[in-house]
Amino acid sequence: MPPKVLPIQPVSSTKSGIYLHFPYCLQKCHYCDFYSVGLDELGSVDFSARLDQYEQALLRELEVRSQDPQFASQNYDTVYFGGGTSSLMPPEMIHRILEALKGALSIDTESEITLEGNPENLVPDYLQPLHELGINRVNSGLQTYNAAFLKDMNRFFETDRYAGLLEALTSSAIPSVGVDLIYGFYKQTYSDFQKDLEQVLKYDVQHLSVYSLTVEPETRYARHIVRGSQGSPNESLQEEIFSSLPSMLGEHDLFQYEISNFARPGEICMHNWKYWDYRPYLGLGPGAHGFNGRQRYANPRNLNAWTAAPGSTQVREEHNAVIDVFLNLFRIALPISLDRILEIWQQEPWEDSLRNNRWNALMDEVNRLNSRGLCDLSQNFQWTPQGIALLDSHIERLIEVTLQAK
């Protein structure tokens, strides 16, 4: 049987990425689990002074991290400005940060450089300078057009900016643009979500992330649900939407490559792919995480603590070469090479017998999944729609049987 022709190809790069976390947003969404500080909670503050403080601390952390041989020796081909709301950064500040990165690390001239932003900032007068700086990918947290859902989640929105976002993005000189949608809001209907999706699909976006609303521990949303002041996510709606998305979006040439991510051919987010493909990445900024291939670190989720000693105060831990690998690699919806797992395991200080037993246990479970029609082994390994439908349970089972092998 000839190999199946895929409409979208996996990322082939094995280089590392750089993530920069910007901590500020206009107001913090109730569901948000990322470290961020809402400007509405700071009262009367000099934001320019805070921007300067952040930039100086970020450059100090870059200086510290770039002296670590495990990061200094890497070649990088993605840079990702996330947050928070990184589109609150002025273009001239982004320019200085990019120049500092290029001066301290080996960064490809054709790198993917992404800026994540919100509708209120992504206007033509802001997008054009970004393009001139070399930003070649912009992604916006649209989430929904429904004002009631946005208000319920304390999300800042301006009706005219939301209405003009996609026109501004797709008419800009930025070559790759995308948006995020969230579904499963309390009292949301399928029709509500369809309206959001239909509005987005009127425009030629290259990338679409579609996330189900989740209740993350310690968020305001979680506390509000316990108190009864907000309703829980609509899980039955989430199941219905999740199963229908691949076919719906595939009709518009947006193909699923990860559980929540869809792209046109050649438009996969290279940076995020590195997380799932288990590649090293440098993380800078308060609350940022980094990974050198074996060890993870997490910067303090506190501006004052991070600013006091950038790059010097963090939590470090060794990775788990079974749990961490499976939780990332098996999120990919495209064919993956199981040899990638063996490649990672070869770097572990395991006895050969343990490595072989774990590999055999993994392959036995993979073959069982294949026999049940949950994965396809014709091109290495790929989940089928039936497998993706209950993905979490399949990954848990893969982890369980592999760890049981001695």
Side-chain angles (χ1 to χ4, degrees), residues 33-107:
D33 187 41
F34 294 105
Y35 175 65
S36 59
V37 178
L39 295 181
D40 61 324
E41 300 175 7
L42 296 177
S44 179
V45 298
D46 183 351
F47 187 49
S48 63
R50 284 184 171 266
L51 285 174
D52 183 64
Q53 181 187 47
Y54 166 78
E55 180 182 349
Q56 296 311 311
L58 189 78
L59 297 181
R60 290 200 303 274
E61 182 178 7
L62 173 60
E63 184 177 358
V64 172
R65 300 284 184 205
S66 63
Q67 292 173 15
D68 181 337
Q70 291 176 308
F71 288 116
S73 62
Q74 300 286 341
N75 291 317
Y76 299 88
D77 63 358
T78 66
V79 177
Y80 196 106
F81 290 91
T85 303
S86 57
S87 54
L88 288 172
M89 288 191 288
E92 57 271 20
M93 176 178 169
I94 297 171
H95 173 68
R96 291 191 297 269
I97 293 171
L98 285 172
E99 289 302 300
L101 289 172
K102 293 171 185 175
L105 301 166
S106 176
I107 301 176

Side-chain angles (χ1 to χ4, degrees), residues 47 229 319:
F47 187 49
S229 59
H319 78 140

Side-chain angles (χ1 to χ4, degrees), residues 197 201 208 210 244-254 262:
L197 193 59
L201 294 176
L208 182 59
V210 194
S244 64
L245 278 172
S247 59
M248 278 198 303
L249 294 177
E251 293 174 0
H252 295 270
D253 293 331
L254 286 162
F262 300 78

Side-chain angles (χ1 to χ4, degrees), residues 211-278:
Y211 301 109
S212 59
L213 178 65
T214 57
V215 184
E216 299 297 334
E218 306 303 322
T219 60
R220 293 173 185 172
Y221 186 37
R223 294 193 292 271
H224 292 175
I225 289 175
V226 171
R227 291 203 300 260
S229 59
Q230 279 190 280
S232 299
N234 185 338
E235 293 184 358
S236 60
L237 175 66
Q238 289 178 334
E239 292 174 5
E240 183 181 5
I241 291 174
F242 180 77
S243 63
S244 64
L245 278 172
S247 59
M248 278 198 303
L249 294 177
E251 293 174 0
H252 295 270
D253 293 331
L254 286 162
F255 301 100
Q256 186 178 36
Y257 69 93
E258 188 269 348
I259 297 309
S260 303
N261 286 277
F262 300 78
R264 300 196 189 282
E267 298 291 349
I268 286 177
C269 177
M270 287 177 56
H271 181 83
N272 287 344
W273 183 272
K274 296 183 189 302
Y275 302 146
W276 305 314
D277 198 33
Y278 221 68

Side-chain angles (χ1 to χ4, degrees), residues 378-399:
S378 63
Q379 295 189 72
N380 292 307
F381 175 99
Q382 184 177 20
W383 293 111
T384 63
Q386 294 81 5
I388 286 179
L390 294 172
L391 184 64
D392 288 346
S393 63
H394 300 320
I395 293 179
E396 287 175 10
R397 174 65 180 167
L398 286 165
I399 291 172

